[in-house]
């Protein structure tokens, strides 16, 4: 038998996830000697032994790897040289090298831990902080790197002898599990009444009975605090909305198990897989009947998640089967996660508090996804996913991208990785900005990145742009300004590993174009470096400016007037003052966002006159649509210079006729969205005829609309286009920073026409 050796380099998330013990065990199984050590990009191992044993080791290696490991690349060099290792060893890594490793997200309690949690005996029976190498908190407890217990918020809990024995035992599931602990040495759970006084007794039992009594309880979790109450009590949900000041925005619920979840929604096998995945996101699921559970969600979908911490599992082990679980942040303010803030800020909202003394170092919301093609389609990419990097083909210089304003995120790049942050809410005030800055320095520290350039949006008023300008000043580094919609497009390209020229269809609420106008219905021809505005829509004067984004009937009136229809039939006398405002032209900034078109049409249909949160009108309009309708309305595509315009006036006239004839809203909403699909398809064909491009990327917040996403993708594919949508990042502004990095890295941004527009005062 021939002796041989293999040198294997593995890149990805392979540290702090039980990878080395796994390699050790597998080497012993195949009687191989050698060693494994951590490197800057992952782990490196040397195997020595019979050639057939090395083959056996490698066969099925990827599939056998620990569940938390993310193997990005394996390179294997086989040779006949043998060094004569005596057995298999784990070499300790140098601290400096460890700085370069990747950090795992927080992961739902694994099956092994669950079994221990509810076993008849054992030292972790009913221990609410049970975790192991395969599960538990990571990202939210890390204060610094290397990832060792002393650098986490578990530092203050010193391991007892029994825990330590497991921690150093390579054969144990808790080998090098940094947050490992038990009842004797770990954090403590406690229950406070509404005054913040601790109650004696079993905290879980106290919390459970408070919930069953119909109280609202604040529950501290992995990356923040939830407000929880029984899900099926509509009056209770109303109380929660009133106390929290959250008028109409849908809540998410947590269900005991899949069986309970099926009572609330239709769930496919693929959706079940996402619900039970290690990331345990909130999955947006179709209700059986649109009008069911309207106290939880007013539209056709309901967001459901399953328990993901030991505390959740214990809470659901008695008489509770479903809970509304909404993050406890006060609207407009950053997520609440520091203990001292919880009781102070939630007074008057929570009737009780289930807290613990393990600090959350980094706040991180629940992730929110749809299922699409068997995988996540992100609305919010957060817990369970952040900070896994987005891997790209390009080699990236160290860049900091500051995102936009809504759903603020930032990104840092290193080599072929982009570390995209969790979103931090809308960057509109000092509190969120401070939080944003803190998170940036934390990411720079834990990923060991000193940016050599900084990117922001073009919009001068965004706090993120102002932050970028300030940061770029001292020490002086380049500040690159990137067009909002170009960044969306580049983000979707990078998400799909595309390079070269594509057609981008970018639809959202609003962004500032290089021409200086507010837009959000963009057809772009470009790559990472260049962006040509090939198409857009006729803009809509917004009477009262920003006010029209809340009082959407104003936009409805504006659309009708532009289409030559008298608005009084639809909006009564209220329309008079808006009509006067529009004819004066004062404070009627024109905007061309797809979001505004949805607002206006929803208002004309009588679905919503005023909205209480971003995207509400579009969501209700989507929910109303009858999916069997195939009809479209007339529209025109016009060309001016080298740009196409979608002229929606004929469509609005036809819609207003239908409303007058009392055509059901279900049919009009569907026909309206079908028209958008039809015009987008036609405009793409025209642009493709001009440019000979056939790859189309779809990005922007409007593609959270599943009706449009699905139909437009299908229509484009049927016309021979290659269609790409987001897969690893959100389609909304949360994913923007990835695109900003790609553009800055290739020398794009800082558009000439933008400067021209600014200088000429447009
Ligand atoms: Zn576990
Ligand atoms: Zn212990
Ligand atoms: Fe956007």
């Amino acid at each position: 038998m021939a002796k041989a050796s293999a040198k294997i380099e593995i890149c990805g998330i392979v540290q702090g996830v039980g990878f080395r013990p796994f390699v050790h065990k597998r080497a012993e199984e195949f009687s191989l000697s050698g060693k494994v050590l951590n490197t800057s990009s992952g782990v490196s191992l040397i195997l020595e032994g019979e050639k057939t044993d090395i083959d056996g080791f490698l066969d099925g290696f990827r599939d056998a790897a620990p569940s938390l490991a993310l193997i990005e690349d394996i390179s294997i060099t086989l040779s006949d040289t043998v060094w004569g290792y005596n057995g298999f060893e784990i070499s300790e890594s140098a601290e400096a090298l460890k700085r370069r490793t990747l950090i795992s997200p927080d992961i739902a309690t694994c099956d092994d831990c669950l079994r221990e949690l509810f076993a008849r005996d054992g030292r972790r029976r009913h221990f609410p902080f049970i975790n192991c190498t395969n599960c538990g908190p990571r990202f939210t407890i890390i204060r610094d790197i290397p990832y060792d217990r002393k650098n986490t918020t578990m530092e203050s809990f010193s391991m007892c002898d029994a825990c330590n024995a497991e921690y150093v035992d390579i054969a144990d599931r808790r080998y090098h599990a940094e947050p490992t602990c038990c009842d004797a040495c770990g954090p403590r759970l406690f229950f406070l009444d509404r005054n913040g006084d601790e109650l004696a007794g079993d905290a879980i039992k106290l919390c459970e009975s408070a919930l069953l009594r119909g109280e609202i309880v604040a529950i501290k979790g992995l990356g923040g605090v939830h407000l929880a109450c029984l899900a099926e009590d509509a009056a209770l949900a109303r109380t929660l909305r009133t106390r929290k000041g959250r008028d109409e925005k849908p809540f998410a619920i947590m269900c005991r198990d899949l069986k309970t979840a099926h009572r609330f929604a239709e769930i496919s096998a693929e959706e079940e897989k996402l619900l039970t995945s290690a990331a345990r996101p909130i999955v947006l699921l179709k209700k059986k009947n649109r009008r069911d559970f309207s106290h939880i969600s007013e539209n056709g979908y309901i967001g459901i998640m399953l328990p993901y911490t030991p505390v959740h599992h214990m809470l659901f082990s008695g008489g509770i089967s479903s809970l509304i679980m909404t993050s406890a942040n006060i609207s407009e303010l950053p997520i609440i996660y520091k203990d001292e803030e919880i009781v102070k800020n939630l007074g008057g909202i929570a009737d009780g508090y289930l807290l613990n003394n393990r600090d959350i170092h980094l706040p991180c919301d629940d992730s929110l996804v749809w299922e699409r093609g068997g995988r996540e389609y992100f609305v919010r990419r957060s817990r369970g996913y952040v900070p896994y990097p987005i891997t790209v083909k390009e080699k990236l210089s160290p860049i900091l991208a500051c995102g936009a304003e809504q759903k603020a995120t930032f990104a840092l790049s290193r080599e072929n990785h982009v570390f995209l942050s969790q979103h931090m809410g809308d960057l509109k005030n000092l509190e969120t900005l401070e939080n944003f800055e803190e998170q940036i320095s934390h990411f720079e520290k834990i990923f060991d990145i000193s940016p050599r350039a900084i990117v922001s949006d073009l919009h001068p008023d965004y706090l993120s742009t102002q932050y970028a300008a300030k940061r770029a000043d001292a020490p002086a580094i380049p500040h690159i300004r990137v067009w909002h919609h170009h960044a969306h497009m580049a983000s979707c390209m990078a998400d799909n590993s595309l390079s070269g020229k594509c057609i981008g269809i970018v639809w959202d609420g609003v962004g500032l174009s290089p021409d200086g106008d507010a837009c959000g219905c963009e057809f772009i021809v470009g790559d990472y470096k260049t962006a040509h505005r090939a198409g857009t829509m006729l803009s809509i004067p917004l009477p009262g400016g920003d006010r029209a984004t809340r009082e959407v009937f104003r936009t409805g009136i504006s659309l009708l007037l532009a289409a030559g229809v008298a608005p009084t039939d639809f909006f009564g006398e209220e329309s008079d003052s808006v009509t006067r405002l529009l004819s004066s032209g004062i404070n009627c900034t024109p905007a061309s966002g797809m979001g505004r078109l949805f607002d206006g049409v929803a208002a004309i249909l009588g679905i919503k006159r005023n909205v209480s949160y971003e995207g509400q009108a579009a969501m209700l309009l989507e929910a109303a649509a009858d999916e069997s309708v195939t009809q479209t309305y007339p529209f025109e595509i016009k060309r001016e210079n080298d740009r196409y315009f979608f002229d929606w006036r004929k469509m609005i006239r036809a819609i207003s006729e239908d409303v007058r004839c009392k055509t059901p809203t279900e049919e009009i909403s569907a026909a309206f969205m079908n028209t958008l699909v039809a015009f987008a398809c036609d405009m793409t064909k025209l642009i493709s005829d001009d440019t000979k491009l056939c790859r189309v990327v779809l990005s922007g917040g409007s593609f959270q609309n599943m009706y449009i996403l699905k139909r437009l993708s299908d229509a484009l594919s049927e016309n021979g286009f290659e269609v790409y949508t987001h897969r690893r990042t959100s389609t909304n502004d949360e994913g923007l920073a990835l695109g900003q990095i790609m553009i800055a890295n290739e020398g794009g941004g800082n558009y000439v026409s933008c400067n021209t527009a600014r200088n000429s005062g447009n």
Side-chain angles (χ1 to χ4, degrees), residues 212-278:
L212 286 170
R213 274 200 304 274
E215 294 185 0
I216 294 167
V217 181
I219 301 174
K220 183 173 166 188
L222 280 175
V225 180
H226 285 118
L227 285 168
C229 68
L230 296 178
E232 291 187 64
D233 187 333
L236 196 52
R238 269 196 301 278
T239 309
L240 177 55
R241 285 191 194 280
T242 319
R243 289 195 197 168
K244 221 191 147 197
R246 184 181 175 115
D247 281 353
E248 291 164 322
K249 211 169 176 182
F251 288 131
I253 62 169
M254 185 179 274
C255 290
R256 186 198 340 234
D257 47 25
L258 282 175
K259 195 169 150 245
T260 315
H262 275 279
R263 285 194 8 240
F264 290 89
E266 307 268 10
I267 309 175
S268 69
E270 286 80 17
E271 287 166 337
E272 283 192 356
K273 243 198 243 157
L274 286 186
L275 280 167
T276 52
S277 70

Side-chain angles (χ1 to χ4, degrees), residues 401-649:
C402 298
E405 179 179 66
Q406 284 181 359
K407 301 177 169 58
T409 58
F410 59 85
L412 283 159
S413 53
R414 182 178 80 194
E415 286 142 20
N416 62 334
H417 285 143
V418 176
F419 299 94
L420 190 60
S421 76
Q422 73 279 31
H423 92 79
M424 277 147 259
D426 298 348
L427 263 191
K428 285 198 166 140
N429 51 45
L430 195 65
E431 288 88 345
T432 42
L433 180 66
E434 274 172 5
N435 179 48
F436 185 72
E437 296 188 16
E438 264 173 43
Q439 305 291 334
I440 290 177
S441 9
H442 185 67
F443 265 63
E444 286 177 6
K445 183 164 78 175
I446 61 175
F447 294 110
D448 193 24
I449 299 174
S450 326
R452 273 191 248 134
I454 186 156
V455 207
S456 74
D457 200 273
L458 284 180
H459 207 302
D461 298 342
Y462 288 174
L463 291 179
S464 56
T465 308
Q466 292 167 12
Y467 166 80
K470 191 181 78 192
R471 268 280 309 253
D473 259 0
I477 50 171
H479 175 191
I480 300 133
R481 290 173 168 86
V482 168
W483 174 23
H484 189 90
H485 302 97
H486 187 200
H488 268 305
M489 173 183 180
S491 170
C492 190
M493 286 173 62
D495 197 335
N496 288 284
S497 308
L498 301 181
S499 50
K501 279 206 159 38
C502 302
I503 299 173
I505 304 183
V506 184
W507 290 355
D508 63 1
V510 72
L512 186 70
S513 85
D515 302 324
D517 60 329
C519 62
C521 172
E522 300 308 294
F523 291 72
I524 303 170
V525 171
D527 48 23
Y528 294 129
K529 206 172 164 156
T530 62
H532 165 66
R533 219 178 155 190
T536 183
M537 69 186 232
L538 207 68
S539 59
I540 310 166
L542 295 183
D546 246 10
R547 229 175 122 181
T549 61
R550 295 181 301 276
E551 299 171 10
V552 295
F553 71 92
R554 291 166 169 268
T555 311
I557 294 167
S558 182
L559 288 175
L560 289 171
L561 283 172
V565 181
T568 29
D569 297 359
F570 300 84
F571 299 101
E573 303 207 332
E574 213 172 347
S575 61
D576 292 347
S577 59
V578 179
T579 306
R580 274 198 301 279
L581 186 63
L582 276 160
S583 53
S584 78
I586 299 163
N587 197 11
C588 292
T589 341
S592 59
M594 192 50 82
R596 300 297 78 81
L597 195 56
F598 268 93
D599 286 351
V601 171
I604 295 170
L605 296 189
I607 292 176
K608 210 72 192 160
R609 288 174 76 92
N610 298 293
V611 297
S612 63
Y613 59 93
E614 158 83 19
Q616 186 181 18
M619 236 183 282
L620 292 173
L621 203 145
E622 181 190 353
D626 175 348
E627 305 206 6
S628 65
V629 172
T630 52
Q631 189 212 338
T632 56
Y633 290 117
F635 62 87
E636 282 177 293
I637 292 179
K638 296 195 169 136
R639 185 171 181 150
E640 229 172 81
N641 301 322
D642 59 348
R643 196 172 294 169
Y644 295 102
F645 286 86
F646 164 50
D647 184 339
W648 36 261
R649 289 176 297 184

Side-chain angles (χ1 to χ4, degrees), residues 108-114 130-136 173-174:
T109 309
C110 73
D111 290 345
D112 289 332
C113 284
L114 266 186
I130 189 169
N131 68 80
C132 73
T133 325
N134 299 319
C135 74
R173 201 170 89 248
R174 297 196 167 83

